[in-house]
C-alpha cells in the first residue's frame, strides 16, 4: 500500500446481545476499529475487508456483522424493484446462492414485509437447491430502506463446540462478556461453582489459549464471490500468532452438583479442545474447596447461579448466601462476578456489589454484578 493511502471501508452494523454494546466496542477497539452505538444491541463501524474478516473471527461477544450495501427511499414496489436491480450484488451473492431476505418495516408506505422480500427474491432469483443460503437484511423506516448482507452466517455465539447443554445455558457471547466485564486477566485462576454446560469456564480456557472464537466454524463471507483468500490468509496467520504467543493457561475450575451437567460440560470442552485445561468437580457449592497451590488473593469467581425453577424462595436465598460464605472462606481477596435476575438475591452473596452489565438473557432482564470477596 502506498503510504498515506487509505484502504476503502465498508459501512457495517455489528449486532450483539442488548447490554453488551460497550464490551463489543472495546473488542472492536482492540482490532483498531472505532464503533458507535446506533441502538439497543447494534453498533455502526466502517471496516476494511481485513477488519471485517477479523471481526468475524475474533469478536467474542457479537452476534453477527452486517455489511450495508445500499440505502434508498422508495414508496412503490416498482421503485423498490428498480433500486434492488441497481445494487451491485456480484461481490456478495452468486447465481447458485439462495437469498434469504429478512425484512422489517416501520412507518413505511411499503409495509408488507413478505411482499418486500418477494421483490428481492424476484430480482436475485431463487438460487439452486445445493446453493448456500445468504441472509439479506432489509430495514425500512419512514420509507428509507437500508439493505445489508450478512457476513457471519450462523450467529457468532455458535462457536461449534457446544452441542450438549444443561439447563438454562448461557450464550457463549454472554459468557465471554462476563469475563471481560469482570476484568478477568487470562493468566489468573478462574472458578465457576455453578458451571452447568461449562460455558463460562470453556470461554475462559479458550481465551487463555489465545484461540479465535470462530476458529472452528464456517463464516458466510468465505463463500462470497468477492471473497479475498489472501486477506483471509493474513487474518488467520494473525490468529495462529495469537495462539503461539499465549502463555500457559491458569488453573480453571468448573463445578456443579449435577453429574449430567459435568458430563455435558466436559464433552463441550473436549470439542473445544480445552477439556484438560479445566479441573472438573462434581460438588455442591457448600463443599467447594479452595484452589490448591494458587497464589492467595488472586483469581475470579464468575458464575451464573440458578435463578429459580426447581430451587426457589428461601432455598434460593440460602443458596446465594452459601455462595457468599464459601467465597469469603475459601476465595478471600478474589474478584467476584455473579449474573442474577434478582438484584436483592445478589445481596445475599455479598452486599455492595456494583452493576457491571445490565443485559437480557433468554428474554429476561439480568444484571452482572461484580466486586471483591472480603
Ligand atoms: C443457570 S445454570 C448454569 C448455566 C451455565 N452458565 C451454562 O452456560 O450452562 C445453574 C447450575 O447450577 C447448578 N446447581 C444448582 N444448585 C447447586 C448447588 N447447590 N451446588 C452446585 N451447583 C448447583 C445446576 O445443576 C445448574 O447446572
Amino acid at each position: 500500500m502506498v503510504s498515506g493511502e487509505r484502504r476503502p471501508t465498508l459501512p457495517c452494523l455489528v449486532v450483539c446481545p442488548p447490554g453488551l454494546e460497550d464490551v463489543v466496542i472495546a473488542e472492536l477497539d482492540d482490532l483498531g476499529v472505532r464503533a458507535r452505538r446506533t441502538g439497543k444491541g447494534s453498533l455502526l463501524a466502517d471496516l476494511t475487508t481485513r477488519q471485517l474478516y477479523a471481526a468475524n473471527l475474533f469478536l467474542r461477544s457479537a452476534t453477527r456483522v452486517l455489511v450495508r450495501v445500499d440505502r434508498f427511499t422508495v414508496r412503490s414496489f416498482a421503485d423498490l424493484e428498480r433500486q434492488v436491480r441497481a445494487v451491485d450484488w456480484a461481490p456478495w451473492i452468486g447465481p447458485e446462492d439462495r437469498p434469504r431476505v429478512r425484512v422489517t418495516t416501520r412507518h413505511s408506505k411499503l409495509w408488507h414485509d413478505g411482499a418486500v422480500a418477494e421483490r428481492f427474491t424476484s430480482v436475485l432469483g431463487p438460487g439452486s437447491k445445493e446453493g448456500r443460503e445468504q441472509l439479506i437484511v432489509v430495514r425500512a423506516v419512514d420509507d428509507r430502506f437500508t439493505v445489508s448482507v450478512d457476513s457471519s452466517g450462523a450467529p457468532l455465539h455458535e462457536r461449534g463446540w457446544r452441542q450438549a447443554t444443561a439447563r438454562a445455558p448461557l450464550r457463549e457471547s454472554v459468557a465471554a462478556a462476563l469475563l471481560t466485564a469482570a476484568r478477568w486477566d487470562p493468566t489468573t485462576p478462574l472458578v465457576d461453582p455453578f458451571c452447568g454446560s461449562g460455558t463460562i469456564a470453556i470461554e475462559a480456557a479458550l481465551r487463555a489459549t489465545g484461540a479465535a472464537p470462530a476458529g472452528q466454524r464456517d463464516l458466510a463471507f468465505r463463500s462470497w464471490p468477492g471473497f479475498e483468500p489472501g486477506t483471509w490468509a493474513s487474518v488467520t496467520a494473525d490468529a495462529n500468532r495469537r495462539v503461539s504467543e499465549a502463555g500457559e493457561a491458569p488453573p480453571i475450575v468448573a463445578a456443579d452438583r449435577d453429574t449430567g451437567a459435568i458430563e455435558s460440560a466436559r464433552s463441550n470442552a473436549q470439542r473445544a479442545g480445552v477439556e484438560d485445561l479445566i479441573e472438573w468437580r462434581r460438588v455442591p457449592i457448600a463443599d467447594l474447596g479452595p484452589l490448591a497451590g494458587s497464589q492467595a488473593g488472586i483469581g475470579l469467581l464468575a458464575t451464573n447461579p440458578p435463578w429459580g425453577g426447581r430451587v426457589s424462595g428461601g432455598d434460593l436465598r440460602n443458596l446465594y448466601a452459601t455462595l457468599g460464605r464459601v467465597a469469603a472462606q475459601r476465595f478471600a481477596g478474589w474478584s467476584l462476578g455473579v449474573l442474577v435476575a434478582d438484584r436483592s438475591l445478589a445481596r445475599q452473596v455479598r452486599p455492595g456489589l456494583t452493576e457491571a452489565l445490565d443485559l437480557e438473557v433468554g428474554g429476561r432482564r439480568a444484571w452482572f454484578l461484580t466486586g471483591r470477596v472480603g
Side-chain angles (χ1 to χ4, degrees):
M1 189 171 65
V2 181
S3 85
E5 185 190 328
R6 303 241 345 244
R7 286 185 192 260
T9 56
L10 302 159
C12 293
L13 191 75
V14 182
V15 182
C16 65
L20 302 191
E21 298 84 357
D22 288 343
V23 172
V24 179
I25 286 176
E27 290 182 3
L28 282 162
D29 194 58
D30 285 346
L31 298 175
V33 174
R34 271 259 175 88
R36 62 181 195 284
R37 234 177 230 259
T38 55
K40 227 176 165 192
S42 65
L43 309 167
L44 270 181
D46 291 323
L47 305 181
T48 62
T49 300
R50 190 179 195 288
Q51 288 169 335
L52 174 68
Y53 294 179
N56 273 289
L57 187 59
F58 295 122
L59 290 182
R60 292 185 188 275
S61 299
T63 307
R64 62 176 69 256
V65 186
L66 303 172
V67 179
R68 197 175 75 206
V69 296
D70 209 351
R71 261 174 135 182
F72 44 78
T73 301
V74 288
R75 296 187 182 84
S76 73
F77 282 115
D79 282 345
L80 174 63
E81 220 171 291
R82 209 167 303 129
Q83 291 287 3
V84 175
R85 270 185 214 293
V87 173
D88 178 15
W89 294 102
W92 323 108
I93 184 158
E96 301 293 306
D97 298 339
R98 281 178 295 117
R100 179 162 66 90
V101 188
R102 189 192 286 168
V103 181
T104 49
T105 56
R106 196 154 51 87
H107 303 150
S108 295
K109 199 138 184 258
L110 303 183
W111 55 269
H112 193 298
D113 299 353
V116 168
E118 233 169 58
R119 294 315 188 276
F120 279 79
T121 25
S122 74
V123 169
L124 290 163
S128 85
K129 243 204 265 159
E130 294 75 40
R132 69 177 182 101
E133 191 176 84
Q134 172 62 55
L135 175 66
I136 295 164
V137 178
V138 180
R139 199 171 131 77
V141 180
D142 298 325
D143 303 321
R144 185 98 181 120
F145 279 63
T146 306
V147 181
S148 308
V149 293
D150 168 44
S151 67
S152 306
L156 292 172
H157 60 83
E158 291 177 18
R159 323 274 204 226
W161 48 259
R162 199 173 71 185
Q163 288 165 27
T165 54
R167 263 172 296 130
L170 278 183
R171 276 190 190 179
E172 297 85 330
S173 51
V174 173
L178 303 187
L179 297 170
T180 305
R183 300 179 191 285
W184 181 57
D185 169 351
T187 63
T188 62
L190 178 116
V191 174
D192 178 359
F194 301 103
C195 77
S197 36
T199 324
I200 296 174
I202 297 170
E203 280 294 319
L206 286 168
R207 188 176 295 191
T209 60
Q216 288 189 5
R217 53 160 278 167
D218 196 17
L219 294 161
F221 66 81
R222 295 186 56 196
S223 306
W224 284 349
F227 173 61
E228 297 174 11
T231 308
W232 176 238
S234 111
V235 175
T236 52
D238 188 19
N240 293 337
R241 184 187 50 77
R242 290 175 189 223
V243 172
S244 61
E245 286 176 1
E248 206 186 316
I252 296 174
V253 174
D256 201 289
R257 68 164 182 199
D258 188 73
T259 310
I262 294 288
E263 277 169 7
S264 49
R266 285 189 84 133
S267 69
N268 288 329
Q270 192 183 21
R271 274 184 291 275
V274 294
E275 190 190 5
D276 296 341
L277 298 182
I278 299 173
E279 183 191 329
W280 305 94
R281 297 190 191 173
R282 200 198 62 73
V283 280
I285 178 70
D287 298 340
L288 181 71
L291 221 83
S294 71
Q295 219 181 319
I298 297 178
L300 171 66
L301 202 68
T303 197
N304 163 212
W307 288 355
R310 279 207 269 181
V311 204
S312 58
D315 288 345
L316 206 52
R317 272 195 299 282
N318 281 340
L319 186 66
Y320 281 62
T322 307
L323 169 61
R325 201 182 61 245
V326 168
Q329 288 170 352
R330 299 164 206 165
F331 300 92
W334 279 40
S335 300
L336 171 70
V338 257
L339 183 67
V340 296
D342 175 346
R343 283 174 290 179
S344 67
L345 270 177
R347 280 193 278 280
Q348 302 288 327
V349 180
R350 201 181 154 68
L353 296 177
T354 51
E355 274 178 36
L357 295 172
D358 175 348
L359 66 170
E360 272 167 40
V361 174
R364 269 181 87 174
R365 189 154 179 208
W367 292 268
F368 185 56
L369 305 173
T370 57
R372 196 157 281 282
V373 180

